[in-house]
Amino acid sequence: MTHHRLLAPLVAASMLAACGFQGADSPEADSDRAESAAQPGSDGYDDPRTASQEEARFANGKVELTLPDGVTDEMMGERTPTMLAVQVMLDRSRHSPGVIDGRGGGNTDRAIRYYREAHGLSGGSEVDQALLESLFENERGDVFRTYTVTEADAQGPFYDVPESFAAMSDLEKLGYETPLEMLAERFHMDQDFLRALNPDADFGKAGTKLVIVSHGNGAIDGEIARIEVRKGDDSLVAFDEAGDIVASYPATIGSSRFPSPSGTMDVLAVAPEPNYTFTSEGREWGPEGTYILPPGPNNPVGGTWIDLAKEGYGIHGSPDPQLIAKSNSHGCVRLTNWDAAALAKAVGQGVTVEFV
């Protein structure tokens, strides 16, 4: 089955319900920017040989982790070698743990369950020998790599993002506020974890060398034929034409007060770097009036919008990756910006989305 990927101009500008998507500026240029968080270019990254070094090993029922030069056990804190290795390998396997923080939690447990299902392992979220053997065989044990802050990184631009919609609507872009925020999202990392690995780093200075995790690029093999949004599990699961799971993501889904839709609908279009339109008419939340908020990763719908056939509803990114699957939306489906960008590259018009 072939699905057609259509960009934002096909989406009606009057779409003001639920999440309030309106459209995108310069789709071709914005597409490059929207993909940058999920698939950054090679500039700044260490060479492939260095990146492929395996710092983690699984032997005698135990994960052993060699820390990079300059990184100490004290800097790692309570983060365990096993959990960090598992999160990084899951991220590369397209079963997203959300923000990589080395601590685990509900999003990591969920990713483990779907990885196990996709690879024919027994159910559950246990980190056992079967899971570790599979992860190390399929994803290898490279956990860390290095990145050197580039001139483009240092230049930004960066923005002071206000809290009110009225003030947001006056900006040109709702971009990253700090170099740390930008880089942590690019590397799929928790900001505190990135800072812990690089306590003396100036993230806004070109030439600064950082220790980062060996994150995935988000690429999904083949096309997605069907998506399930699993409300009771705070997850989005993608299937290929054969019905096999090809990716899973933690998702923030609607609440009892602002429920997500039910039933089945199709993807209408994909919009990188969408605007966000808010109107108070017919809403039970937010300020009075109508506001068009500019695009950017700190836009309320993040860096990507996947438009669904039910008016005003979609799958989109988020300015708060650490809160994914830990809060509720106003009816739409929120993913991290990098997961939303990866999903958008593998779906097109006509892909079925079922809310279950």
Side-chain angles (χ1 to χ4, degrees), residues 36-81:
S36 66
Q39 298 204 31
S42 59
D43 288 350
Y45 283 91
D46 50 15
D47 63 88
R49 180 188 61 81
T50 303
S52 65
Q53 292 179 350
E54 297 186 39
E55 293 85 6
R57 297 157 299 282
F58 180 57
N60 302 317
K62 182 180 179 181
V63 174
E64 298 177 349
L65 182 65
T66 300
L67 297 178
D69 291 342
V71 176
T72 66
D73 289 333
E74 289 74 20
M75 292 159 64
M76 289 289 291
E78 298 177 355
R79 302 170 182 93
T80 68

Short mmCIF file of all heavy atoms in Angstrom, two decimals, residues 36-81:
data_model
loop_
_atom_site.label_atom_id
_atom_site.label_comp_id
_atom_site.label_asym_id
_atom_site.label_seq_id
_atom_site.Cartn_x
_atom_site.Cartn_y
_atom_site.Cartn_z
N SER A 36 15.43 18.60 12.28
CA SER A 36 16.75 18.74 12.86
C SER A 36 16.85 18.13 14.23
O SER A 36 17.90 17.59 14.60
CB SER A 36 17.16 20.21 12.91
OG SER A 36 16.33 20.92 13.80
N ALA A 37 15.78 18.17 15.05
CA ALA A 37 15.84 17.62 16.40
C ALA A 37 15.96 16.11 16.35
O ALA A 37 16.66 15.50 17.15
CB ALA A 37 14.60 18.02 17.18
N ALA A 38 15.24 15.46 15.40
CA ALA A 38 15.24 14.00 15.34
C ALA A 38 16.44 13.47 14.56
O ALA A 38 16.96 12.41 14.87
CB ALA A 38 13.95 13.50 14.71
N GLN A 39 16.89 14.21 13.52
CA GLN A 39 17.96 13.72 12.69
C GLN A 39 18.94 14.84 12.40
O GLN A 39 18.97 15.39 11.30
CB GLN A 39 17.41 13.14 11.40
CG GLN A 39 16.49 11.96 11.66
CD GLN A 39 16.41 11.05 10.46
OE1 GLN A 39 17.34 10.92 9.69
NE2 GLN A 39 15.28 10.42 10.29
N PRO A 40 19.77 15.22 13.36
CA PRO A 40 20.71 16.29 13.14
C PRO A 40 21.78 15.89 12.14
O PRO A 40 22.03 14.70 11.92
CB PRO A 40 21.31 16.52 14.53
CG PRO A 40 21.14 15.23 15.22
CD PRO A 40 19.84 14.68 14.71
N GLY A 41 22.40 16.86 11.52
CA GLY A 41 23.48 16.57 10.59
C GLY A 41 24.71 16.08 11.32
O GLY A 41 24.79 16.04 12.54
N SER A 42 25.75 15.73 10.54
CA SER A 42 26.95 15.15 11.13
C SER A 42 27.83 16.19 11.79
O SER A 42 28.70 15.87 12.59
CB SER A 42 27.74 14.41 10.05
OG SER A 42 28.10 15.30 9.00
N ASP A 43 27.70 17.46 11.43
CA ASP A 43 28.54 18.50 12.01
C ASP A 43 28.44 18.48 13.52
O ASP A 43 27.36 18.54 14.09
CB ASP A 43 28.13 19.88 11.49
CG ASP A 43 28.50 20.08 10.04
OD1 ASP A 43 29.24 19.24 9.51
OD2 ASP A 43 28.04 21.07 9.45
N GLY A 44 29.60 18.43 14.16
CA GLY A 44 29.64 18.44 15.61
C GLY A 44 29.79 17.06 16.22
O GLY A 44 30.35 16.92 17.30
N TYR A 45 29.31 16.03 15.52
CA TYR A 45 29.39 14.67 16.08
C TYR A 45 30.77 14.07 15.84
O TYR A 45 31.47 14.40 14.87
CB TYR A 45 28.35 13.77 15.43
CG TYR A 45 26.95 13.99 15.95
CD1 TYR A 45 26.09 14.89 15.35
CD2 TYR A 45 26.50 13.28 17.06
CE1 TYR A 45 24.81 15.10 15.83
CE2 TYR A 45 25.21 13.47 17.56
CZ TYR A 45 24.38 14.38 16.93
OH TYR A 45 23.10 14.58 17.42
N ASP A 46 31.16 13.16 16.72
CA ASP A 46 32.41 12.45 16.53
C ASP A 46 32.30 11.53 15.32
O ASP A 46 31.22 11.31 14.77
CB ASP A 46 32.79 11.66 17.79
CG ASP A 46 31.64 10.79 18.31
OD1 ASP A 46 30.67 10.57 17.57
OD2 ASP A 46 31.72 10.34 19.47
N ASP A 47 33.43 10.99 14.90
CA ASP A 47 33.44 10.16 13.70
C ASP A 47 32.76 8.82 13.98
O ASP A 47 32.65 8.38 15.13
CB ASP A 47 34.87 9.94 13.22
CG ASP A 47 35.70 9.18 14.25
OD1 ASP A 47 35.70 7.94 14.23
OD2 ASP A 47 36.34 9.84 15.10
N PRO A 48 32.28 8.14 12.93
CA PRO A 48 31.54 6.88 13.12
C PRO A 48 32.32 5.82 13.88
O PRO A 48 31.74 5.05 14.65
CB PRO A 48 31.26 6.43 11.68
CG PRO A 48 31.25 7.71 10.89
CD PRO A 48 32.29 8.58 11.53
N ARG A 49 33.64 5.76 13.68
CA ARG A 49 34.42 4.74 14.38
C ARG A 49 34.38 4.97 15.88
O ARG A 49 34.16 4.05 16.67
CB ARG A 49 35.87 4.77 13.87
CG ARG A 49 36.78 3.72 14.57
CD ARG A 49 38.23 3.93 14.18
NE ARG A 49 38.71 5.24 14.60
CZ ARG A 49 39.11 5.53 15.83
NH1 ARG A 49 39.07 4.58 16.78
NH2 ARG A 49 39.54 6.73 16.13
N THR A 50 34.58 6.21 16.28
CA THR A 50 34.53 6.54 17.72
C THR A 50 33.13 6.32 18.27
O THR A 50 32.95 5.80 19.37
CB THR A 50 34.96 8.00 17.95
OG1 THR A 50 36.27 8.20 17.41
CG2 THR A 50 34.95 8.33 19.43
N ALA A 51 32.13 6.70 17.49
CA ALA A 51 30.75 6.59 17.95
C ALA A 51 30.32 5.15 18.16
O ALA A 51 29.46 4.86 18.99
CB ALA A 51 29.80 7.27 16.96
N SER A 52 30.91 4.22 17.40
CA SER A 52 30.48 2.83 17.47
C SER A 52 31.17 2.03 18.58
O SER A 52 30.89 0.84 18.75
CB SER A 52 30.73 2.13 16.12
OG SER A 52 32.13 2.06 15.85
N GLN A 53 32.05 2.65 19.33
CA GLN A 53 32.69 1.94 20.42
C GLN A 53 31.65 1.50 21.45
O GLN A 53 30.75 2.26 21.79
CB GLN A 53 33.73 2.83 21.09
CG GLN A 53 34.93 3.13 20.21
CD GLN A 53 35.93 4.04 20.88
OE1 GLN A 53 35.66 4.60 21.94
NE2 GLN A 53 37.10 4.21 20.27
N GLU A 54 31.78 0.28 21.93
CA GLU A 54 30.79 -0.29 22.83
C GLU A 54 31.24 -0.14 24.28
O GLU A 54 32.06 -0.89 24.78
CB GLU A 54 30.55 -1.76 22.48
CG GLU A 54 29.97 -1.94 21.08
CD GLU A 54 29.60 -3.37 20.77
OE1 GLU A 54 29.09 -4.05 21.67
OE2 GLU A 54 29.82 -3.81 19.63
N GLU A 55 30.65 0.83 24.94
CA GLU A 55 30.98 1.08 26.35
C GLU A 55 30.27 0.09 27.27
O GLU A 55 30.71 -0.12 28.40
CB GLU A 55 30.59 2.50 26.75
CG GLU A 55 31.38 3.61 26.07
CD GLU A 55 30.82 3.99 24.71
OE1 GLU A 55 29.75 3.47 24.34
OE2 GLU A 55 31.46 4.80 24.01
N ALA A 56 29.16 -0.49 26.82
CA ALA A 56 28.40 -1.43 27.64
C ALA A 56 28.57 -2.85 27.12
O ALA A 56 28.62 -3.09 25.91
CB ALA A 56 26.92 -1.06 27.64
N ARG A 57 28.64 -3.77 28.05
CA ARG A 57 28.75 -5.20 27.73
C ARG A 57 27.82 -5.97 28.64
O ARG A 57 27.61 -5.58 29.80
CB ARG A 57 30.20 -5.70 27.94
CG ARG A 57 31.21 -5.03 27.03
CD ARG A 57 32.60 -5.11 27.59
NE ARG A 57 32.69 -4.43 28.89
CZ ARG A 57 32.77 -3.11 29.03
NH1 ARG A 57 32.78 -2.33 27.96
NH2 ARG A 57 32.85 -2.57 30.23
N PHE A 58 27.29 -7.07 28.12
CA PHE A 58 26.45 -7.94 28.94
C PHE A 58 27.13 -9.29 29.03
O PHE A 58 27.28 -10.01 28.04
CB PHE A 58 25.06 -8.08 28.31
CG PHE A 58 24.14 -8.96 29.10
CD1 PHE A 58 23.85 -8.68 30.43
CD2 PHE A 58 23.55 -10.08 28.52
CE1 PHE A 58 23.00 -9.49 31.17
CE2 PHE A 58 22.69 -10.89 29.24
CZ PHE A 58 22.42 -10.60 30.57
N ALA A 59 27.58 -9.62 30.24
CA ALA A 59 28.29 -10.87 30.45
C ALA A 59 28.01 -11.37 31.85
O ALA A 59 27.91 -10.59 32.80
CB ALA A 59 29.80 -10.66 30.26
N ASN A 60 27.86 -12.70 31.95
CA ASN A 60 27.61 -13.33 33.25
C ASN A 60 26.40 -12.74 33.96
O ASN A 60 26.40 -12.56 35.19
CB ASN A 60 28.86 -13.23 34.14
CG ASN A 60 30.07 -13.87 33.50
OD1 ASN A 60 29.97 -14.96 32.92
ND2 ASN A 60 31.21 -13.21 33.60
N GLY A 61 25.37 -12.41 33.16
CA GLY A 61 24.13 -11.91 33.72
C GLY A 61 24.19 -10.49 34.23
O GLY A 61 23.29 -10.06 34.97
N LYS A 62 25.21 -9.72 33.84
CA LYS A 62 25.39 -8.38 34.37
C LYS A 62 25.81 -7.42 33.27
O LYS A 62 26.58 -7.78 32.37
CB LYS A 62 26.45 -8.39 35.48
CG LYS A 62 26.68 -7.04 36.14
CD LYS A 62 27.74 -7.15 37.23
CE LYS A 62 28.01 -5.80 37.88
NZ LYS A 62 29.06 -5.88 38.93
N VAL A 63 25.29 -6.19 33.35
CA VAL A 63 25.71 -5.14 32.42
C VAL A 63 26.88 -4.39 33.03
O VAL A 63 26.80 -3.89 34.16
CB VAL A 63 24.56 -4.15 32.12
CG1 VAL A 63 25.05 -2.98 31.27
CG2 VAL A 63 23.41 -4.86 31.42
N GLU A 64 27.97 -4.32 32.28
CA GLU A 64 29.13 -3.55 32.70
C GLU A 64 29.26 -2.35 31.79
O GLU A 64 29.10 -2.45 30.58
CB GLU A 64 30.40 -4.41 32.62
CG GLU A 64 30.36 -5.63 33.54
CD GLU A 64 31.59 -6.50 33.39
OE1 GLU A 64 32.36 -6.26 32.43
OE2 GLU A 64 31.78 -7.41 34.22
N LEU A 65 29.56 -1.19 32.37
CA LEU A 65 29.60 0.05 31.62
C LEU A 65 30.91 0.77 31.89
O LEU A 65 31.26 1.04 33.04
CB LEU A 65 28.43 0.95 32.01
CG LEU A 65 28.30 2.28 31.28
CD1 LEU A 65 28.00 2.06 29.80
CD2 LEU A 65 27.19 3.14 31.91
N THR A 66 31.64 1.07 30.82
CA THR A 66 32.85 1.87 30.92
C THR A 66 32.48 3.33 30.68
O THR A 66 31.95 3.67 29.62
CB THR A 66 33.89 1.43 29.89
OG1 THR A 66 34.23 0.06 30.11
CG2 THR A 66 35.15 2.29 30.00
N LEU A 67 32.75 4.19 31.66
CA LEU A 67 32.40 5.59 31.53
C LEU A 67 33.44 6.32 30.68
O LEU A 67 34.62 5.99 30.70
CB LEU A 67 32.33 6.24 32.91
CG LEU A 67 31.25 5.71 33.86
CD1 LEU A 67 31.32 6.43 35.20
CD2 LEU A 67 29.86 5.88 33.24
N PRO A 68 33.01 7.32 29.91
CA PRO A 68 33.96 8.10 29.11
C PRO A 68 34.95 8.85 30.00
O PRO A 68 34.69 9.08 31.18
CB PRO A 68 33.06 9.08 28.35
CG PRO A 68 31.68 8.50 28.43
CD PRO A 68 31.63 7.76 29.72
N ASP A 69 36.05 9.26 29.40
CA ASP A 69 37.03 10.06 30.13
C ASP A 69 36.35 11.31 30.67
O ASP A 69 35.63 12.01 29.96
CB ASP A 69 38.18 10.46 29.21
CG ASP A 69 39.05 9.27 28.81
OD1 ASP A 69 38.96 8.24 29.49
OD2 ASP A 69 39.78 9.39 27.80
N GLY A 70 36.60 11.58 31.93
CA GLY A 70 36.05 12.78 32.56
C GLY A 70 34.72 12.58 33.23
O GLY A 70 34.24 13.46 33.95
N VAL A 71 34.07 11.45 32.98
CA VAL A 71 32.78 11.15 33.61
C VAL A 71 33.02 10.20 34.77
O VAL A 71 33.65 9.15 34.61
CB VAL A 71 31.78 10.55 32.60
CG1 VAL A 71 30.48 10.17 33.30
CG2 VAL A 71 31.50 11.53 31.47
N THR A 72 32.51 10.54 35.94
CA THR A 72 32.73 9.75 37.15
C THR A 72 31.43 9.12 37.64
O THR A 72 30.33 9.52 37.23
CB THR A 72 33.31 10.62 38.27
OG1 THR A 72 32.31 11.59 38.65
CG2 THR A 72 34.57 11.34 37.79
N ASP A 73 31.57 8.17 38.54
CA ASP A 73 30.39 7.56 39.15
C ASP A 73 29.56 8.61 39.89
O ASP A 73 28.33 8.55 39.91
CB ASP A 73 30.82 6.45 40.13
CG ASP A 73 31.36 5.23 39.41
OD1 ASP A 73 30.95 4.99 38.26
OD2 ASP A 73 32.18 4.51 40.01
N GLU A 74 30.25 9.58 40.49
CA GLU A 74 29.54 10.63 41.21
C GLU A 74 28.67 11.45 40.26
O GLU A 74 27.55 11.86 40.61
CB GLU A 74 30.54 11.55 41.93
CG GLU A 74 31.22 10.91 43.13
CD GLU A 74 32.28 9.89 42.73
OE1 GLU A 74 32.75 9.93 41.56
OE2 GLU A 74 32.63 9.05 43.58
N MET A 75 29.14 11.69 39.07
CA MET A 75 28.37 12.44 38.08
C MET A 75 27.16 11.65 37.61
O MET A 75 26.12 12.23 37.28
CB MET A 75 29.26 12.83 36.89
CG MET A 75 30.34 13.85 37.27
SD MET A 75 31.75 13.89 36.13
CE MET A 75 30.97 14.43 34.61
N MET A 76 27.29 10.35 37.58
CA MET A 76 26.16 9.50 37.19
C MET A 76 25.08 9.47 38.26
O MET A 76 23.90 9.23 37.96
CB MET A 76 26.65 8.08 36.91
CG MET A 76 27.48 7.94 35.64
SD MET A 76 26.49 8.12 34.15
CE MET A 76 25.53 6.59 34.25
N GLY A 77 25.45 9.69 39.51
CA GLY A 77 24.49 9.70 40.60
C GLY A 77 23.82 8.35 40.76
O GLY A 77 24.49 7.31 40.78
N GLU A 78 22.50 8.34 40.87
CA GLU A 78 21.75 7.10 41.08
C GLU A 78 21.45 6.37 39.77
O GLU A 78 20.79 5.33 39.79
CB GLU A 78 20.44 7.42 41.81
CG GLU A 78 20.65 8.01 43.20
CD GLU A 78 19.33 8.38 43.85
OE1 GLU A 78 18.28 8.26 43.18
OE2 GLU A 78 19.34 8.78 45.02
N ARG A 79 21.90 6.90 38.67
CA ARG A 79 21.64 6.27 37.39
C ARG A 79 22.46 5.00 37.28
O ARG A 79 23.67 5.01 37.49
CB ARG A 79 21.99 7.23 36.25
CG ARG A 79 21.21 8.54 36.32
CD ARG A 79 21.74 9.57 35.32
NE ARG A 79 21.02 10.82 35.43
CZ ARG A 79 21.39 11.84 36.20
NH1 ARG A 79 22.51 11.74 36.94
NH2 ARG A 79 20.68 12.95 36.24
N THR A 80 21.81 3.89 36.94
CA THR A 80 22.51 2.61 36.89
C THR A 80 22.99 2.31 35.48
O THR A 80 22.37 2.73 34.48
CB THR A 80 21.59 1.47 37.34
OG1 THR A 80 20.54 1.29 36.38
CG2 THR A 80 20.98 1.78 38.71
N PRO A 81 24.10 1.57 35.33
CA PRO A 81 24.56 1.18 34.00
C PRO A 81 23.51 0.44 33.20
O PRO A 81 23.34 0.67 32.00
CB PRO A 81 25.77 0.29 34.31
CG PRO A 81 26.25 0.74 35.65
CD PRO A 81 25.01 1.12 36.40
#
